[in-house]
Amino acid sequence: MNDMTKPLLSVRGLTLDIPMSNGTLHAVRALDFDLHRGETLCIVGESGSGKSLTSLAVIGLLEKNIRRNATQMNFDGTDLLTASKKQMRALRGNRIAMIFQEPMTSLNPAYTIGDQLIEALRLHKNVSREKARNRAIELLEKVGITAAASRLGQYPHQLSGGLRQRVVIAMALMCEPELIIADEPTTALDVTIQAQILSLLVDLTREMDVAMILITHDLGVVARVADKVGVMYAGELVESGPAADVFGKPLHPYTRGLLRCIPQPGKTERGAALGTIPGIVPSLIGDVKGCAFRTRCPHAVEACRDAIPERGEPPHKFLCVHPDGARAAEGEPA
Amino acid sequence: MSTPVLELRNVVKTYRVKQGLFGKPKPLKAVNDVSITLQKGEVLGLVGESGCGKSTLAKILLGLEATTEGSVLVDGEEIGEQNRLALARRIQPIFQDPYSSLNPRKTIADIVSLPLRVHNIGDAKSREKSLRETLELVGLPSRVLNTYPSQMSGGQRQRVAIARALIMHPEIVICDEPTSALDVSVQSQILNLLNDLRAEFGLTYLFISHDLAVVEHLATRVAVMYLGRIVEEADVADLFEAPRHPYSRALLNSVLTPDPSQGVPDTQLGAAYPNPIDPPSGCHFHPRCPFAQDHCKTTAPRPVPRKGGHVECHLHDPEGPMYRPDFTV
Ligand SMILES: Nc1ncnc2c1ncn2[C@@H]1O[C@H](COP(=O)(O)OP(=O)(O)OP(=O)(O)O)[C@@H](O)[C@H]1O
Ligand SMILES: Nc1ncnc2c1ncn2[C@@H]1O[C@H](COP(=O)(O)OP(=O)(O)OP(=O)(O)O)[C@@H](O)[C@H]1O
Ligand code: SF4
Ligand SMILES: [Mg+2]
Ligand SMILES: [Mg+2]
């Protein structure tokens, strides 16, 4: 991690609006983030907070009804805002790879695993089938699939969910991507397989200097994998910073609330009441003013209805009217 | 010890599955000779990887699947085919997905009071009363009575599902992944609710979950399942502090606590996923077990008692050739 070097991906003021019958849904609002080579950014947050849309906006795969605006969106010198469809196709699956939660969104049921892996490489790189096949076997072994050569002739439906997701990960790595965007890649998997796949992804970022955006709602995954964390609530990045800071000294009341909701072995008492965040996420249709968390925040005051200042000491930033994000109010040193 | 509220004795469930289009159906033992007991007020956590038979076990308890062998006892009495309906009054389910388990065309009032009508309990007036009481119990305002599931949040829907289970005043609630489709901020509300209901009414739970931190939090006893067998069962503290079976240990190692000073743990498990139609010989876990020896390939380990349960692994069998009394984790 080196903040001196130029980031691989730099996003400023990303805003996503979706016209609906009853007004405009402000799904993502003024997001800023940077990602360097070898760095992993984890995005956590409530369901519907805009995590998946943010990643789709980066790779240009938003549905047509969604309006994207930003002041800057740059990938290693390429302006993603003005890039043509052809340029984006050349980046996707090549320099930028994607892994989605449901492996069948990335696999074609009509083709063998081998054909799909080989095509993934030959679509972007001028290599022989033989070479591509060897790389496919190498990567399948790397993701922990035994008897890899014999799997090449199998169809997706002949594999279990865990194996399919490994194939998708191998496919994402065929072209040696510089950026991996993984949206809940292990949510559907067992804990033991999840650990195996995550350690594989982490090793890759370290060994090959790959940058990764990992979207999840599992705070355990985030803590173990992230260099940087972004916490999203109702379309905004309400807190972001180095993982050790966000977990060690969470500032935003939502982040603090989230961490109290999960049972933490060794910390929470077995069977004791867990923290809760009562209430529901507000509608983001129409004008959104002030802090969207105020309806559920235990520290909300009148001023939370107005524009919210950005606070904190970069790189650890948060959005809240309280200068210390109510740490003091919750009885903790500032 | 008093009579368990629920007991499974040597239960086997065999499905017949076809491999390929023209293959002959082969037997698949989804539940393979399982015996468990549940005392009143206990929460038995059931964990294990996808496909190991947890939901099949739950369905047997709910009378949704018949056993192939073995018996199910409630308060010491064997449940036969004839009293399934009586069983359903005492054992109620809460399933994973609050989105698909609620009928979208029925109002919340209809959904929650349906069990009363099915079992022909009370008259319209007393049903209405039960309905309001139950909604209050799970923390839903009575104004939701005439709304539809689509108008509710995920947490509210799961409360509806819980209300539907509780309106029958069951003694036993079978929870199959009750919070895994929910945000953590909603999950904690539901877990607190389940805990409160247990304290207040002495409910007994079978609690199935992939999330071991949640199981550790809620359960009083834990059973670890692998390929249709309970390979280890113990009191919650014993299991989490001193897991004996190598698979339990791998499972616990995989738990990711939100501690940024630690990396992703090494499970030390091979990736040789077993085929349930053709399970490995000897100990079913041997192809992935870092401690397996030749004896494990030929001989199935027998259950050895431990506090609050048992463990099936040669390393813990004092009469076997691999016994290692020092093997704790
Ligand atoms: N094509 C679309 N048309 C209309 N609304 C959409 C569309 N795609 C997403 N949305 C809405 O935008 C919001 C953000 O969605 P997004 O999928 O990014 O959430 P998320 O944070 O990934 O949630 P989850 O954790 O549930 O995956 C949601 O309210 C969603 O309903
Ligand atoms: N109706 C059925 N017919 C044939 N096989 C079945 C049937 N139901 C389940 N099985 C098989 O029985 C085994 C156990 O399935 P079960 O659904 O009980 O697993 P589980 O432990 O609940 O898994 P998960 O964690 O994924 O929910 C699996 O191999 C499954 O494929
Ligand atoms: S019996 Fe052998 S293979 Fe099975 S868990 Fe014990 S050591 Fe491993
Ligand atoms: Mg998403
Ligand atoms: Mg299941």
Side-chain angles (χ1 to χ4, degrees):
Chain A
M1 221 195 323
N2 185 350
D3 276 315
M4 294 294 122
T5 57
K6 243 179 94 218
L8 178 69
L9 176 69
S10 183
V11 174
R12 290 289 174 278
L14 175 65
T15 297
L16 301 173
D17 289 333
I18 312 175
M20 311 281 273
S21 58
N22 51 344
T24 301
L25 173 70
H26 301 282
V28 169
R29 291 169 293 129
L31 234 59
D32 296 343
F33 62 89
D34 283 337
L35 190 62
H36 292 81
R37 287 182 195 275
E39 226 175 34
T40 296
L41 164 69
C42 284
I43 303 183
V44 275
E46 208 84 355
S47 178
S49 60
K51 304 182 295 292
S52 297
L53 286 185
T54 301
S55 67
L56 294 173
V58 170
I59 52 179
L61 282 183
L62 287 171
E63 276 178 52
K64 284 193 187 65
N65 65 331
I66 303 180
R67 288 200 309 261
R68 179 184 73 179
N69 278 297
T71 51
Q72 184 189 331
M73 214 156 84
N74 193 297
F75 174 77
D76 196 30
T78 305
D79 183 355
L80 298 178
L81 291 170
T82 57
S84 67
K85 285 205 171 105
K86 199 171 155 213
Q87 279 175 301
M88 288 310 297
R89 270 201 301 272
L91 283 178
R92 278 198 301 265
N94 184 16
R95 297 181 64 196
I96 305 179
M98 294 147 299
I99 304 166
F100 297 106
Q101 171 173 353
E102 173 40 59
M104 285 315 285
T105 46
S106 314
L107 293 172
N108 187 327
Y111 294 92
T112 63
I113 302 301
D115 281 343
Q116 297 187 56
L117 286 163
I118 290 165
E119 257 327 286
L121 182 59
R122 282 172 40 101
L123 184 67
H124 296 289
K125 306 251 152 96
N126 188 12
V127 295
S128 68
R129 253 193 94 81
E130 181 64 24
K131 269 218 173 104
R133 187 170 181 277
N134 289 340
R135 179 155 175 82
I137 294 173
E138 181 195 322
L139 283 172
L140 287 179
E141 279 168 359
K142 210 166 179 148
V143 298
I145 295 184
T146 45
S150 71
R151 299 279 187 188
L152 292 180
Q154 290 189 318
Y155 289 87
H157 72 87
Q158 294 173 301
L159 305 178
S160 74
L163 281 178
R164 273 184 220 150
Q165 191 62 304
R166 286 157 187 256
V167 170
V168 168
I169 291 171
M171 194 149 90
L173 302 176
M174 282 299 280
C175 293
E176 301 185 29
E178 292 152 71
L179 170 63
I180 297 175
I181 299 180
D183 192 350
E184 310 264 11
T186 58
T187 305
L189 303 178
D190 290 311
V191 286
T192 56
I193 304 170
Q194 162 168 291
Q196 287 177 11
I197 288 189
L198 289 176
S199 66
L200 173 82
L201 288 172
V202 169
D203 288 350
L204 276 167
T205 58
R206 308 256 152 93
E207 285 162 22
M208 314 222 256
D209 227 13
V210 180
M212 178 158 74
I213 299 178
L214 188 115
I215 296 170
T216 174
H217 52 246
D218 186 330
L219 293 163
V221 170
V222 178
R224 302 302 187 95
V225 170
D227 298 304
K228 288 178 177 175
V229 180
V231 181
M232 284 190 79
Y233 186 82
E236 277 180 314
L237 214 45
V238 294
E239 180 160 359
S240 63
D245 295 354
V246 175
F247 281 92
K249 193 183 171 187
L251 292 164
H252 195 281
Y254 174 64
T255 316
R256 300 176 61 77
L258 263 191
L259 285 165
R260 279 192 297 261
C261 284
I262 49 170
Q264 299 198 37
K267 279 193 188 166
T268 37
E269 190 192 331
R270 284 190 191 116
L274 297 166
T276 56
I277 308 179
I280 54 168
V281 185
S283 157
L284 297 177
I285 295 177
D287 268 352
V288 186
K289 279 225 298 272
C291 175
F293 188 56
R294 68 174 184 272
T295 51
R296 303 172 73 185
C297 181
H299 307 290
V301 292
E302 203 51 37
C304 301
R305 295 173 183 278
D306 306 327
I308 304 297
E310 185 174 285
R311 302 194 182 269
E313 290 160 30
H316 188 182
K317 301 180 292 185
F318 67 106
L319 296 172
C320 183
V321 295
H322 303 291
D324 67 344
R327 272 178 77 83
E330 291 182 3
E332 283 194 44
Chain B
M1 213 185 265
S2 55
T3 314
V5 274
L6 188 63
E7 186 176 359
L8 291 187
R9 276 195 201 151
N10 305 101
V11 166
V12 175
K13 175 72 198 179
T14 310
Y15 291 112
R16 305 201 74 81
V17 293
K18 266 200 211 166
Q19 273 192 317
L21 221 44
F22 305 105
K24 218 173 113 231
K26 287 191 174 164
L28 182 157
K29 276 195 178 167
V31 173
N32 185 2
D33 195 4
V34 162
S35 300
I36 44 179
T37 57
L38 267 165
Q39 300 290 340
K40 188 172 164 59
E42 263 193 322
V43 180
L44 179 68
L46 184 61
V47 299
E49 69 191 2
S50 183
C52 70
K54 304 181 295 294
S55 295
T56 305
L57 203 62
K59 285 183 205 148
I60 289 172
L61 292 175
L62 290 165
L64 299 172
E65 288 275 12
T67 57
T68 312
E69 285 169 43
S71 45
V72 180
L73 292 85
V74 175
D75 286 331
E77 248 176 81
E78 187 160 348
I79 298 299
E81 293 298 326
Q82 64 283 10
N83 39 20
R84 287 253 173 269
L85 205 62
L87 183 67
R89 289 181 64 157
R90 310 175 65 177
I91 308 182
Q92 282 286 312
I94 303 170
F95 290 116
Q96 168 173 3
D97 190 353
Y99 299 89
S100 62
S101 67
L102 304 181
N103 186 337
R105 279 180 298 275
K106 296 272 192 250
T107 64
I108 302 308
D110 286 337
I111 291 172
V112 175
S113 60
L114 179 70
L116 293 180
R117 280 176 276 130
V118 168
H119 292 274
N120 225 337
I121 296 171
D123 53 21
K125 210 170 149 221
S126 73
R127 282 180 203 160
E128 171 82 18
K129 187 164 165 273
S130 301
L131 179 62
R132 286 180 187 275
E133 281 170 4
T134 312
L135 284 185
E136 195 183 315
L137 198 64
V138 301
L140 284 172
S142 53
R143 65 179 148 77
V144 303
L145 278 175
N146 295 315
T147 60
Y148 292 87
S150 64
Q151 295 165 279
M152 311 190 96
S153 73
Q156 286 177 318
R157 286 184 225 200
Q158 197 58 299
R159 282 171 198 267
V160 171
I162 294 175
R164 179 177 57 182
L166 292 180
I167 199 160
M168 295 292 292
H169 300 289
E171 292 149 68
I172 303 161
V173 181
I174 311 282
C175 309
D176 195 351
E177 308 265 4
T179 60
S180 49
L182 304 174
D183 273 322
V184 291
S185 67
V186 180
Q187 167 177 296
S188 67
Q189 297 172 25
I190 299 296
L191 295 179
N192 287 348
L193 173 64
L194 290 175
N195 229 346
D196 293 347
L197 292 171
R198 177 171 89 101
E200 197 164 333
F201 301 104
L203 289 181
T204 306
Y205 295 125
L206 178 75
F207 190 87
I208 300 175
S209 175
H210 275 127
D211 188 332
L212 283 116
V214 165
V215 170
E216 177 172 5
H217 186 74
L218 207 69
T220 55
R221 217 145 47 86
V222 181
V224 180
M225 207 166 174
Y226 193 80
L227 263 193
R229 293 194 64 81
I230 309 249
V231 295
E232 183 165 8
E233 188 185 346
D235 288 341
V236 67
D238 290 329
L239 192 99
F240 279 86
E241 276 138 39
R244 297 223 173 129
H245 196 284
Y247 179 65
S248 313
R249 162 177 152 149
L251 263 187
L252 298 189
N253 266 342
S254 312
V255 176
L256 305 177
T257 50
D259 176 357
S261 67
Q262 297 201 297
V264 181
D266 182 358
T267 62
Q268 297 191 349
L269 283 189
Y273 296 105
N275 177 354
I277 295 180
D278 186 14
S281 60
C283 171
H284 289 344
F285 187 55
H286 85 257
R288 296 171 73 195
C289 179
F291 308 97
Q293 297 175 17
D294 282 344
H295 185 58
C296 307
K297 293 182 195 162
T298 54
T299 315
R302 63 187 185 103
V304 177
R306 70 167 295 188
K307 193 165 153 254
H310 73 272
V311 57
E312 285 186 0
C313 167
H314 292 309
L315 294 168
H316 298 284
D317 186 349
E319 278 147 44
M322 282 171 62
Y323 185 47
R324 274 181 48 191
D326 56 322
F327 188 89
T328 43
V329 210

